[in-house]
Every structure is written in structure tokens, then in C-alpha cells.
Amino acid sequence: MGTEFLKIMDSEEVKDIIKNMEITYETEIVHLNDAYLRVLAEDVCAAIDLPPFNRVSRDGYAVKAEDTFGTSEDNPVILKLIDSIGAGDNPDKEVKNGTCIEVGTGAPVPEGADAVIMVEFTENIDGNISIHKSAAIGQWIASRGSDVSKGDFLLPSGTFLTHDKIGVLGAIGMGKVPVFKKPKVAVISTGNEIINYDEKLEYGKIYDINSQTIKNAIKSCGCTPIYSGIAKDDYEDIRTRIEQNLDADVIITSGGTSAGAGDVLKLVLDDIGEVFVHGIAVKPGKPTIVGKINNKPVFGLPGYPAAALTIFHVLVAPFLRKMASVDIRKSDILKLKLSRRYHSSRGRHQYVLVKIENGMASPILKDSGAITAIAEADGYFEVKKNVELVPEGTEVEVVLLESR
């Protein structure tokens, strides 16, 4: 017997239902070493000046600029070399008129010096330095606080901590970082024909593809996947698996292909939770289910891998990114022209997988049960339900599947 849908909903209506689901944000403190690709939970202001001292920005000699005024290749000035310091040193000698100190990039500017002459414009003659070019006051000196002053605003809450942002936190000595906790997402595959990849493949069985694709897609949304195994298309098995994962923040199932599998999940949700969506006017993904148990969102994805992954990216991923405070980046959406025309199914909103080739989007003309459709796909574009034909050369917005 086929699935009897509660009510076939428009995809935009479903998006609104998911968008309005309640989200609770939690935070934690992690070490800077563990903050990469986490999301900042508080605004960050500089705790120190950067640089924290007047710093040399070129190899050369620290001088009093007035000693060099009017100098040239033909008319050099000779200064007495009194010391040599490098990065990390603490200079104890003062530059006075007629003297200089050799300095390396990153070294503190010695007291009394107000400029640095690059080594290329000097010559060491028996411990005395011949200067062949005049210097302006402040030349090749990064003044204390010239980059950032103590108290300056640096990063807002919600910043995705990529390598460059981590560098900013490290520069101000921020060893402990407040971040949003990663939501935990339970992943349950269902189907009498599904087996784990390390089991022997027998006739009539197929390997569990969805758990692998969905787990990694969850990671790209800034969440932590919890694999909860394979459930049979059986009420008690599915209910037990779900109840065992009610400590997760979200539960995602992917249905088996046997008839009535979607009805089993609906029955479980009816008994211990609530169903919001049971059937969507989309292709692929019509049998998608959305509900909740104990205020925990539950998403029942189709069993076919391409359909499951498409619906995940279209409906579930935006919700997970919101939970994890991870925004989709503009670079994750490309405007490309279609390499060939595409015939759509009138009356159903459609999400079309594409491969990007030669700067164009090529629709993948395989059904949602084709495993290779996943491997070939770089992204997808939308076709509205009242559109039957998208001509070759039409510019479409392609949402990339791998967003992080």
C-alpha cells in the first residue's frame, strides 16, 4: 500500500514552518587551539595595543632623523654604531645624536630613535655606519597601537572563526574563546534492505549511503553528527531509535524504499510527538516529513540518496546553520548559465542537481535513485512550480552543495 499524505504542502510554506521552529542557543568556552571553524559567541575588543610597542618594520639602523637630513650617495653622514638588537630583545642603550643602533625587523625601537634607515642605503666602515639617504621622522617604524588600540572593537558575535580570525584572537593573547555550542544531530537510516558498509552484501541488500552523505553534510553546517545506526521499517525499531536519541538537538531519519516506510515514521511522531509536514509538492522529495518530539525537530528525509541530500540542503541545512549561528556565504551561490535546456514537472517546485562545466551549469538528468548523481553534483538550482521549460543559456542561481 502506498503512502497516504497528511497534506501536500508548497515548499515555501514548509520553509516558513521550519524557519519558525524554536531554537535555543548555548555557549561554551574553548581553547584557542580548538576554536578553528567555531562561531564566536561574544563581541571581542582588543585587550592590548597592537603592536604593543614601537616596532621596527625593516632591517637597518635606528637613528635620529635629523642626523640624516641632507645626506645622499655623494654626501653621506657617518654615525657611530653602539649596539645591535633583534626581534624579542629589550634594548638598554639610547640613540643620541651622531650614533645609531643596528635593528632587525620586529625589534623594539630603541629610546631616542625616531626613524629607521634600511640597510640597503648604508655601508659599515670599521664599525661606523655610512648613511647614504635621508630619513623622515617615523620612517619604517610601526607605532604602538597603530594597528589596533586597546579597547578597539575587533570581531562581532557570530563571526565564523577561520584561520585569519584565529590569528586576530592570537594576536591579542585570547587563549580562551567563547563560542556557540555545536548542535548535536542524530542520524538514523531506515530500511529493511539497508546494511552497513562493513557487512557482506547479499542479494536484495544495499549499503547505507545516506548516513555517510548526511553526516558529512551536517558537519558542513557547523553541527556534530551522531550516527545512530540502521532501523528496520518497523514501528518499534524506529520508535526505539528515536527515543534513544532524544538528548540530541535534532533528529534526522532517511526513509527506506519499501512501501509505507514513511507512514511508520508518521505513526511514531503522532504517538510521541507532532507532525507539521507530511508530503511536499517538490521534486525530488515529495514524501518528506517534518515534526518534533519534546520540542526537538525531527526531519524524515526520502530514502533515495539524491533526493535525501537535495532535501537536506534545501530545507534542513539552512535550519542547522541557523542553530549553529553559521551563515551561508555569498560565495556559496553562483550565477551561471544553463548548458542545455531543462524540462520541468509543472505543478511541482523542482530542485535540479547540476554539474559545473566550463563555467556553465549542466543539469544532471538522472533520477533520485541514481547514486552517481550525488558524485557528479556540484550544486542545485530551483525551478518554480508553474515553469515547464528552462531554455538553454538561462542564468540560474546555483547553490553549492559543499558550503564549508
Side-chain angles (χ1 to χ4, degrees), residues 155-218:
L155 297 173
S157 175
T159 297
F160 190 67
L161 295 176
T162 49
H163 57 279
D164 50 338
K165 307 300 189 299
I166 293 289
V168 170
L169 300 182
I172 62 171
M174 192 171 183
K176 302 293 184 181
V177 185
V179 297
F180 288 103
K181 280 188 176 180
K182 286 189 173 186
K184 291 186 286 188
V185 183
V187 179
I188 305 170
S189 291
T190 69
N192 296 332
E193 76 283 18
I194 305 297
I195 62 172
N196 284 314
Y197 64 87
D198 56 355
E199 295 181 62
K200 183 179 179 181
L201 188 65
E202 298 178 352
Y203 184 79
K205 302 293 184 179
I206 60 173
Y207 287 120
D208 178 16
I209 301 164
N210 289 344
S211 68
Q212 299 301 321
T213 57
I214 293 170
K215 280 191 301 182
N216 287 289
I218 286 168

Side-chain angles (χ1 to χ4, degrees), residues 319-336:
F319 180 77
L320 294 185
R321 282 194 293 265
K322 184 178 177 182
M323 286 191 76
S325 299
V326 175
D327 294 327
I328 189 167
R329 303 171 300 184
K330 290 182 180 179
S331 59
D332 294 332
I333 301 176
L334 303 177
K335 289 188 176 182
L336 301 172

Side-chain angles (χ1 to χ4, degrees), residues 88-158:
D89 290 342
N90 186 5
D92 57 5
K93 291 186 179 180
E94 178 183 352
V95 173
K96 297 180 180 179
N97 288 108
T99 68
C100 66
I101 292 178
E102 184 179 13
V103 291
T105 301
V109 177
E111 187 176 348
D114 59 9
V116 171
I117 291 286
M118 290 174 62
V119 68
E120 291 90 332
F121 303 109
T122 67
E123 185 179 0
N124 191 322
I125 304 174
D126 298 328
N128 293 315
I129 306 303
S130 177
I131 307 293
H132 301 155
K133 187 175 182 179
S134 61
I137 293 175
Q139 177 177 289
W140 302 126
I141 292 176
S143 301
R144 175 175 177 168
S146 58
D147 185 7
V148 173
S149 295
K150 183 178 179 179
D152 281 356
F153 181 81
L154 291 181
L155 297 173
S157 175

Side-chain angles (χ1 to χ4, degrees), residues 187 189 209-221 252-255 282-286 288 299-318 320-321 351-354 364 367-381 399-403:
V187 179
S189 291
I209 301 164
N210 289 344
S211 68
Q212 299 301 321
T213 57
I214 293 170
K215 280 191 301 182
N216 287 289
I218 286 168
K219 291 179 184 178
S220 75
C221 294
I252 297 177
T253 73
S254 57
V282 296
K283 182 180 180 181
K286 182 179 179 181
T288 300
F299 297 96
L301 305 182
Y304 283 139
L309 194 60
T310 301
I311 291 299
F312 175 90
H313 281 285
V314 171
L315 298 179
V316 184
L320 294 185
R321 282 194 293 265
Y351 297 96
V352 184
L353 293 175
V354 298
I364 296 174
D367 66 37
S368 57
I371 307 306
T372 52
I374 299 176
E376 293 176 14
D378 295 309
Y380 68 87
F381 72 94
V399 181
L400 300 182
L401 294 181
E402 186 57 51
S403 61

